[in-house]
Amino acid sequence: MTLRQHAQVRTPEHWGTLAAYFSMDVTEPFWEKLGFVSERGVAECRAALRDMILRLRQAAVKSPNPLPDIRDWVFTDGPLAWTAQEQQSFLELGINFEATHSEKPHISSWASVLIYFPGMFDATVAAVNDPDAISHILEMRDSELPTDAPEKLSMWDAQMCARHGWNPKDELEYFPPLDELSIVENQIIADQILRWAAVNLDPAAQRVFWENAQAAIDELGVWIPEPLKPLHLKV
């Protein structure tokens, strides 16, 4: 299958939103953390993406019915000046990108409860019985990027916010360019913690870790449609 065919599993709206996020200056630190592999540097990739977005808008004005499909622009040769590896990397990132809890309830629940590690994980700390291992989990957990929007956005970022209705100044509002990327980043961090634990903790400690997380989910009232899956843990 071609990249374009693979991209069909997510809607044009999904890819358009993701392209908007990654075209912004404020999201630059997230590119690598979320798995995008840039062969020529983030600045050059972002400039090419912005150029494509501007030309896509012009094409939409000229031919509004039907609107151009952004997947035809991102995942075919020509419209977006990215290498094949950069297109592949963006495809993989985008297919797996899901900030809605109900769409990925298990890894999302793990990410939610790990915020409270080790405070709600006394049994796990006792079972692991290794301060260095606990410190390593904490170090991984605390590696997330800040989500505070700068006082002044770049001109491009301000234009993207205006077009999409995103308000970085209202503290009561959700600011998707940073908040959604942060949610997915924390899912990735949780996944990395579980993979590390599966290799470095003994099976008994892994089971306690999993049971502890389920208990924390119940106590916090985190919605999940079924018992928490251990995912990578060997239980």
Side-chain angles (χ1 to χ4, degrees):
M1 291 177 66
T2 65
L3 296 184
R4 173 63 181 86
Q5 289 170 325
H6 281 294
Q8 194 73 18
V9 300
R10 304 304 299 262
T11 66
E13 292 76 17
H14 172 81
W15 292 113
T17 298
L18 202 57
Y21 290 164
F22 277 89
S23 76
M24 297 174 70
D25 294 289
V26 74
T27 65
E28 179 173 334
F30 285 93
W31 283 59
E32 183 177 356
K33 290 294 291 288
L34 269 61
F36 182 80
V37 179
S38 169
E39 295 186 312
R40 299 162 300 144
V42 169
E44 189 171 343
C45 285
R46 185 173 59 235
L49 184 58
R50 290 179 179 180
D51 176 70
M52 186 215 73
I53 288 172
L54 292 174
R55 288 184 288 108
L56 181 57
R57 288 180 192 166
Q58 293 170 355
V61 171
K62 292 179 180 178
S63 178
N65 189 22
L67 287 170
D69 190 324
I70 190 171
R71 295 170 297 188
D72 294 331
W73 289 61
V74 176
F75 299 112
T76 58
D77 293 335
L80 176 58
W82 280 3
T83 67
Q85 175 57 47
E86 288 161 351
Q87 289 176 309
Q88 177 71 41
S89 181
F90 190 68
L91 175 75
E92 293 172 359
L93 185 160
I95 286 176
N96 293 314
F97 188 97
E98 186 55 72
T100 303
H101 175 76
S102 61
E103 295 297 324
K104 285 191 171 182
H106 291 278
I107 192 60
S108 179
S109 294
W110 272 105
S112 296
V113 298
L114 283 171
I115 294 171
Y116 301 94
F117 185 92
M120 298 183 74
F121 287 81
D122 290 342
T124 301
V125 173
V128 172
N129 194 28
D130 182 349
D132 289 340
I134 298 302
S135 294
H136 186 71
I137 292 173
L138 279 170
E139 183 179 348
M140 296 175 73
R141 199 265 331 258
D142 292 338
S143 65
E144 73 271 18
L145 295 167
T147 57
D148 296 327
E151 285 296 317
K152 184 175 177 60
L153 295 176
S154 68
M155 183 176 296
W156 177 272
D157 287 9
Q159 290 174 354
M160 296 304 289
C161 287
R163 290 185 69 89
H164 292 273
W166 301 327
N167 183 359
K169 298 301 182 183
D170 190 340
E171 294 183 358
L172 299 178
E173 291 293 327
Y174 190 63
F175 185 48
L178 292 180
D179 291 334
E180 290 204 352
L181 295 182
S182 181
I183 288 170
V184 174
E185 180 201 15
N186 276 285
Q187 293 172 2
I188 292 171
I189 291 172
D191 185 78
Q192 292 169 343
I193 289 173
L194 294 175
R195 289 179 185 274
W196 180 89
V199 173
N200 293 278
L201 302 184
D202 66 60
Q206 292 182 47
R207 172 167 285 277
V208 172
F209 191 19
W210 170 48
E211 292 172 346
N212 216 163
Q214 180 65 68
I217 285 172
D218 293 341
E219 184 174 345
L220 293 168
V222 177
W223 177 86
I224 191 167
E226 57 189 352
L228 179 68
K229 292 180 180 178
L231 300 180
H232 307 295
L233 298 180
K234 303 177 180 69
V235 299

